[in-house]
Amino acid sequence: MAESFRAIRSSLQFIFKNNPSDKRANTLMITSSVSGEGKTFTSINIATVYAISGKKTILLGLDLRKPKIFDDFNITNEKGVVNYLIGESGLEDIVTHTHVENLDLITSGPIPPNPSELLMSDKMKDLIGKLKDTYDIIILDTPPLGLVTDALELVQYADATVFMVRLDYTKKGMLQLVNAKHRSGELRNISFV
């Protein structure tokens, strides 16, 4: 399993090299068509292999509607991205240092009534800008692309996008949706796992 994620990390290096970021950090967005295709599992493992390789890595739980990334790290979801975006907490208040060296985490925080609007805000752009100054790799664990528009709001921050496909689970029609969004320019630099 670990070797598989190291292989994904190696492939991503080629993608990042072809699309150099304006700042030193590379941002990777991980999405899929619906829940249950392995976004959070993949986000955690890719973040871990980057951190183990010595890259200062941060993982953002940006599924504001159904947050779950905090469970895997046995931490609470009381404060997170939402608290920062509404101006209630500073960056230092929402970053959690994990047991993995070089890996930090920002959970989503409490479920807001207006997730899309928060992700579209200038505060989100400000947050990504600050993280790019501090980290080498930023991993965005996003909501499903096929169900809500939240992931599309985050595409602008991604140097590369990984779309999760799960055998006997992902509907073929969802890949047509991805192709249409790629043709229209809504999705760019997209790869599949």
Side-chain angles (χ1 to χ4, degrees), residues 128-171:
I128 297 293
K130 285 180 178 174
L131 295 176
K132 278 188 174 263
D133 289 336
T134 309
Y135 293 91
D136 300 314
I137 298 287
I138 301 166
I139 311 272
L140 311 177
D141 180 39
T142 71
L145 186 66
L147 300 179
V148 291
T149 59
D150 298 1
L152 283 177
E153 308 297 346
L154 298 167
V155 167
Q156 62 183 307
Y157 305 115
D159 299 311
T161 301
V162 166
F163 189 89
M164 298 301 303
V165 178
R166 184 172 171 189
L167 181 68
D168 292 331
Y169 195 92
T170 304
K171 302 278 187 271

Side-chain angles (χ1 to χ4, degrees), residues 72-92:
D72 296 288
F73 288 92
N74 293 323
I75 58 173
T76 65
N77 193 33
E78 289 170 19
K79 277 192 178 177
V81 172
V82 170
N83 302 86
Y84 180 86
L85 296 178
I86 63 173
E88 191 178 276
S89 297
L91 183 56
E92 60 285 343

Side-chain angles (χ1 to χ4, degrees), residues 97-152:
H97 304 292
T98 69
H99 63 280
V100 179
E101 190 178 354
N102 295 320
L103 179 57
D104 290 345
L105 171 71
I106 299 178
T107 62
S108 58
I111 298 172
N114 56 342
S116 292
E117 289 76 13
L118 286 177
L119 294 175
M120 288 170 55
S121 71
D122 288 340
K123 289 282 280 182
M124 186 67 205
K125 184 179 269 187
D126 174 60
L127 175 61
I128 297 293
K130 285 180 178 174
L131 295 176
K132 278 188 174 263
D133 289 336
T134 309
Y135 293 91
D136 300 314
I137 298 287
I138 301 166
I139 311 272
L140 311 177
D141 180 39
T142 71
L145 186 66
L147 300 179
V148 291
T149 59
D150 298 1
L152 283 177

Side-chain angles (χ1 to χ4, degrees), residues 4-137:
S4 298
F5 283 103
R6 282 194 284 272
I8 292 170
R9 180 187 64 201
S10 296
S11 296
L12 285 168
Q13 291 311 104
F14 290 105
I15 294 165
F16 289 139
K17 222 174 226 27
N18 290 336
N19 304 295
S21 179
D22 56 339
K23 293 196 178 180
R24 73 183 186 104
N26 285 309
T27 306
L28 174 65
M29 180 175 113
I30 299 178
T31 192
S32 71
S33 55
V34 293
S35 292
E37 290 169 309
K39 285 181 299 300
T40 300
F41 175 76
T42 301
S43 298
I44 290 168
N45 282 287
I46 288 177
T48 302
V49 295
Y50 269 113
I52 289 171
S53 74
K55 300 276 188 191
K56 196 159 166 47
T57 306
I58 188 153
L59 173 57
L60 274 74
L62 294 177
D63 189 345
L64 305 186
R65 296 166 197 267
K66 285 176 70 180
K68 64 180 185 182
I69 209 162
F70 61 96
D71 267 347
D72 296 288
F73 288 92
N74 293 323
I75 58 173
T76 65
N77 193 33
E78 289 170 19
K79 277 192 178 177
V81 172
V82 170
N83 302 86
Y84 180 86
L85 296 178
I86 63 173
E88 191 178 276
S89 297
L91 183 56
E92 60 285 343
D93 301 325
I94 61 170
V95 173
T96 301
H97 304 292
T98 69
H99 63 280
V100 179
E101 190 178 354
N102 295 320
L103 179 57
D104 290 345
L105 171 71
I106 299 178
T107 62
S108 58
I111 298 172
N114 56 342
S116 292
E117 289 76 13
L118 286 177
L119 294 175
M120 288 170 55
S121 71
D122 288 340
K123 289 282 280 182
M124 186 67 205
K125 184 179 269 187
D126 174 60
L127 175 61
I128 297 293
K130 285 180 178 174
L131 295 176
K132 278 188 174 263
D133 289 336
T134 309
Y135 293 91
D136 300 314
I137 298 287

